[in-house]
Amino acid sequence: EAGVAQSPRYKIIEKRQSVAFWCNPISGHATLYWYQQILGQGPKLLIQFQNNGVVDDSQLPKDRFSAERLKGVDSTLKIQPAKLEDSAVYLCASSFRVPNIAKNIQYFGAGTRLSVL
Amino acid sequence: AQSVTQLGSHVSVSEGALVLLRCNYSSSVPPYLFWYVQYPNQGLQLLLKYTTGATLVKGINGFEAEFKKSETSFHLTKPSAHMSDAAEYFCAVSGTGNQFYFGTGTSLTVIP
């Protein structure tokens, strides 16, 4: 089966610019996650969707980050405006419909590496 | 609240030697524990997980981990390292909520 697809793989922008990342989860996976992985750190959950609804966005910096999953399939994560500290790898993951994150196997995409100059 | 601490950001072993990667957790509720592996320029892949039941958990690629509640540990082991095991390894913990916490990772180098 096809895995989690993310694009672009790499993005370089200047601070205060906007950027968007796209994720296509594994077919049939109702739950989708966005993580931020800063160099030298483990991934940090930003937001979790169940179909097109938000389950948890408690760690999403809502003043500059936004995410949507309008049709319950693809998702887009946006940063506007970007700051230097947003430089990181943004990982998308998906799993089956059970919303409890601990009871699911999450499948990860390869990530988008963002550099903010 | 839950958290994990991975002891040793870098571990080097000789090919064929025992691999031991350490993970200690903190949780106010019975934890769910995970080990993930990340190869360069790739996403994370689940190695194994502990939820309930048997405390010795076997995963893919010959890895296993033992949940020790008294020591709040979930160390990852493999009897004999292979060159293909070189990667970044992450321990993670979750409780009854949806939060999922990763450690800072351990980079494993296998020396031929």
Side-chain angles (χ1 to χ4, degrees), chain A residues 26-33 48-51 53 55 69 72 94-107, chain B residues 98:
Chain A
I26 292 173
S27 177
H29 282 192
T31 309
L32 185 146
Y33 316 83
Q48 177 186 348
F49 290 95
Q50 178 72 13
N51 296 310
V55 175
R69 194 184 183 201
S94 70
S95 65
F96 282 109
R97 60 180 176 83
V98 178
N100 188 315
I101 198 170
K103 295 184 178 179
N104 262 296
I105 295 176
Q106 295 179 58
Y107 297 85
Chain B
N98 288 321

Side-chain angles (χ1 to χ4, degrees), chain A residues 9-10 35 37 40-43 45 48 55-56 58-59 91 99-106 108-110, chain B residues 32 34 36 38 41-46 49 51 88 90 94-105:
Chain A
R9 288 297 311 277
Y10 305 92
Y35 288 87
Q37 186 178 14
Q41 298 182 20
L45 180 67
Q48 177 186 348
V55 175
D56 185 352
S58 57
Q59 298 196 88
L91 295 167
N100 188 315
I101 198 170
K103 295 184 178 179
N104 262 296
I105 295 176
Q106 295 179 58
F108 284 80
Chain B
Y32 299 127
F34 307 79
Y36 279 85
Q38 186 176 32
N41 298 316
Q42 295 186 27
L44 281 73
Q45 179 183 5
L46 180 68
K49 66 176 181 178
T51 53
E88 188 87 14
F90 292 94
S94 180
T96 55
N98 288 321
Q99 284 292 335
F100 204 81
Y101 298 94
F102 283 88
T104 53

Side-chain angles (χ1 to χ4, degrees), chain A residues 2-9 21-27 32 34 73-75 90-94 107-112:
Chain A
V4 176
Q6 290 188 247
S7 66
R9 288 297 311 277
F21 314 126
W22 174 82
C23 174
N24 185 21
I26 292 173
S27 177
L32 185 146
W34 282 103
V73 182
D74 294 6
S75 177
Y90 291 85
L91 295 167
C92 179
S94 70
Y107 297 85
F108 284 80
T112 295

